[in-house]
Amino acid sequence: MSTVIMHSVMSVDGFIADENDEVGTLHDWYFDGDVPIGGGGGDEYDHSGTGGGVRVSKASAEYVRSTWEQIGTIVMGRTLFDLVNGWEGRPPTGDHVVVVSHRPKPEGWHPEASYHFVDDVTAAIGKARELAGDRSVAVNAGDVGGQILAAGLVDEVAMDVVPVVFGSGKRFFGRVDRQHLLEDPHVVIQGERVLHLRYKVRR
C-alpha cells in the first residue's frame, strides 16, 4: 500500500503562506542552487508553476530528487488548485492529482490530465492510493492536509523548513485541534537556506 506523506515548505514558525496565500521567500531555495532537478522525459521540475526549472543546492539535490521520484499521486485542496490553476494539468511530480473539493472540475479544463475531484478526505486518499500503485501519495499541507492527518490517514510528515518568521498566515497543519505524536525524525538534512525533516506518524 502507498505511503501517505504530508508535505510542504514552511517558515520556522509553522506557516506555509501568509494570509493572502503569498509564499514570500519560502520557495527561493528551489531556484538558488546549482543542481537542476530533472523530471520525466529529461525536463526539469517546475514545482512553482512559474515556468522556471528547479535548481537546488548539492546538499538538497539527492533528497529532493528521490522524494519527488517516489510520488505517484498528489492530493491538494481546492484553494491551491485555484491559486495555481492545477499547474495547467501538469503536476510538478507524479502522474495523478486528487483535488479535495465540493465543486467539480471546471468545465472543459484540461480533459487530458489525470485530475480527480473528490469531496471527502477519506475517499480522496483511497483514490490517491489506487492511482499511485506502489508509489507514494503526497498530501499538500494546510487545511486539507490537517484534515487527512486528523483522520489518521497520514503515515509521514515531511517539512522543508526555511529560516524566516511569518508571524501569521496559513498554518502547516491547518486547524488541527488535538495533539498528534510523531516519531523522532528519520531524515534530517541541512541544505542551503532550508532544513529537510521527515517524521513517521506514531500509531
Side-chain angles (χ1 to χ4, degrees), residues 121-145:
V121 294
T122 301
I125 293 300
K127 182 65 175 178
R129 279 183 158 146
E130 173 191 328
L131 293 166
D134 59 359
R135 296 165 76 191
S136 62
V137 172
V139 174
N140 281 296
D143 284 339
V144 166

Side-chain angles (χ1 to χ4, degrees), residues 33-102:
D34 298 322
V35 182
I37 304 297
D43 295 332
E44 292 182 356
Y45 286 110
D46 177 14
H47 184 80
S48 68
T50 62
V54 170
R55 303 181 68 87
V56 300
S57 69
K58 184 177 179 182
S60 294
E62 183 178 349
Y63 172 73
V64 173
R65 184 181 292 114
S66 64
T67 297
W68 289 2
E69 285 175 352
Q70 292 169 5
I71 294 169
T73 306
I74 293 173
V75 177
M76 66 194 306
R78 187 57 182 255
T79 298
L80 180 57
F81 174 86
D82 289 342
L83 281 170
V84 300
N85 196 29
W87 302 295
E88 298 298 340
R90 298 181 60 204
T93 184
D95 299 317
H96 314 278
V97 175
V98 175
V99 182
V100 180
S101 175
H102 295 296

